[in-house]
C-alpha cells in the first residue's frame, strides 16, 4: 500500500494551486472537526509554512503532510528561535502503517537544514506519546499564551497548559529556557 509513495520537501513559494488543493483535501480528512478551516485551496490554519514535507501516491494524492516555519517565541524572559511544526497529518486510511514516523523523521531533517535550535509544536494530550517516542520532549507544566484565530479571522487570547512539545535540533534540551511560553505570532 505504501510502495509507490513519493516523498518531497517543498518550499511554500513553489506550491501550485493544485498542490494547495491536494494538501487541503488531506487536512480536511485528517482533521474532520476542523474541516471548515480547510476549504478550496486553504492549506494552512495560522501562518503559512515555510517548508512542507509531503508524501504523494502515484496519482499525486497527498497522503501525509507537515508544515514548518521558523519563528521566535518568548520563553520566560528570552526569545527563542524555533521551527514551528504543525498540520501533521496522515491519510486516515494509512494511519498505523508507520507513515507518521517516516513523516516526522523527514520533518526532523528539515528542521536540521533550517539550523533552528529547537522544533516546537502543540498537540493534543492523547498524541503526546507518539511525538515523545520520536524524541520530542513534553513540558507538562509549561503554560502557553497565544492568540487563536477562527476560520473567519477573529482573534481570541488563550492560555493553555499541556500538549506543548520541544525537539532538540541544533541545541541540547538543557538549553531550553525555563518559564511560560508566549507565542508571538500565528503558528503553522
Amino acid at each position: 500500500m505504501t510502495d509507490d509513495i513519493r516523498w518531497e520537501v517543498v518550499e511554500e513559494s513553489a506550491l501550485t494551486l493544485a498542490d494547495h488543493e491536494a494538501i487541503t483535501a488531506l487536512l480536511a480528512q485528517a482533521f474532520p472537526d476542523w474541516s471548515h478551516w480547510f476549504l478550496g485551496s486553504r492549506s494552512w490554519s495560522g501562518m503559512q509554512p515555510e517548508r512542507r514535507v509531503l508524501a504523494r501516491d502515484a496519482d499525486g494524492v497527498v497522503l501525509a503532510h507537515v508544515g514548518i516555519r521558523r519563528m521566535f517565541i518568548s520563553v520566560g524572559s528570552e526569545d527563542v528561535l524555533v521551527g514551528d511544526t504543525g498540520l501533521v497529518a496522515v491519510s486516515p486510511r494509512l494511519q498505523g502503517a508507520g507513515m507518521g514516523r517516516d513523516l516526522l523523521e523527514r520533518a526532523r531533517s528539515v528542521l536540521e537544514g533550517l539550523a533552528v535550535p529547537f522544533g516546537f509544536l502543540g498537540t493534543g494530550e492523547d498524541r503526546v506519546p507518539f511525538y515523545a517516542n520520536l524524541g520530542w520532549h513534553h513540558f507538562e507544566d509549561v503554560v502557553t499564551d497565544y492568540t487563536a484565530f477562527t476560520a473567519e479571522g477573529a482573534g481570541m487570547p488563550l492560555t493553555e497548559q499541556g500538549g506543548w512539545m520541544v525537539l532538540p535540533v541544533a541545541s541540547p534540551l538543557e538549553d531550553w529556557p525555563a518559564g511560560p511560553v508566549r507565542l508571538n505570532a500565528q503558528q503553522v
Side-chain angles (χ1 to χ4, degrees):
M1 181 184 288
T2 59
D3 293 338
D4 61 350
I5 291 177
R6 178 174 44 99
W7 288 95
E8 59 186 329
V9 176
V10 183
E11 292 186 11
E12 189 70 11
S13 61
L15 292 171
T16 66
L17 180 60
D19 291 330
H20 283 289
E21 290 170 343
I23 295 166
T24 299
L26 169 67
L27 295 175
Q29 290 174 15
F31 303 109
D33 292 343
W34 299 93
S35 62
H36 62 285
W37 281 82
F38 307 112
L39 301 172
S41 60
R42 185 183 155 103
S43 64
W44 62 93
S45 60
M47 293 291 287
Q48 286 179 266
E50 179 179 350
R51 302 252 190 328
R52 299 185 191 234
V53 178
L54 303 171
R56 299 179 193 257
D57 68 11
D59 296 324
V61 174
V62 176
L63 303 172
H65 171 275
V66 64
I68 299 168
R69 180 183 188 86
R70 286 174 281 201
M71 66 185 259
F72 281 94
I73 62 175
S74 297
V75 183
S77 62
E78 297 184 40
D79 287 334
V80 179
L81 176 64
V82 298
D84 184 47
T85 304
L87 299 173
V88 180
V90 172
S91 171
R93 69 184 171 90
L94 294 173
Q95 290 176 1
M99 184 170 275
R101 176 174 291 281
D102 291 346
L103 178 65
L104 268 291
E105 287 172 359
R106 292 167 191 278
R108 183 185 194 108
S109 293
V110 171
L111 291 164
E112 289 168 353
L114 292 173
V116 294
F118 303 99
F120 183 80
L121 66 80
T123 190
E125 291 289 334
D126 60 328
R127 290 180 292 285
V128 165
F130 167 75
Y131 291 104
N133 286 334
L134 296 171
W136 291 80
H137 181 79
H138 181 226
F139 290 104
E140 293 181 27
D141 59 345
V142 168
V143 174
T144 302
D145 293 320
Y146 65 101
T147 301
F149 286 83
T150 66
E152 294 77 29
M156 301 171 292
L158 294 176
T159 300
E160 285 188 11
Q161 182 171 342
W164 301 103
M165 302 192 77
V166 172
L167 177 70
V169 179
S171 294
L173 187 60
E174 295 77 33
D175 287 353
W176 183 261
V181 175
R182 286 183 314 283
L183 303 182
N184 301 319
Q186 284 272 321
Q187 285 191 278
V188 168

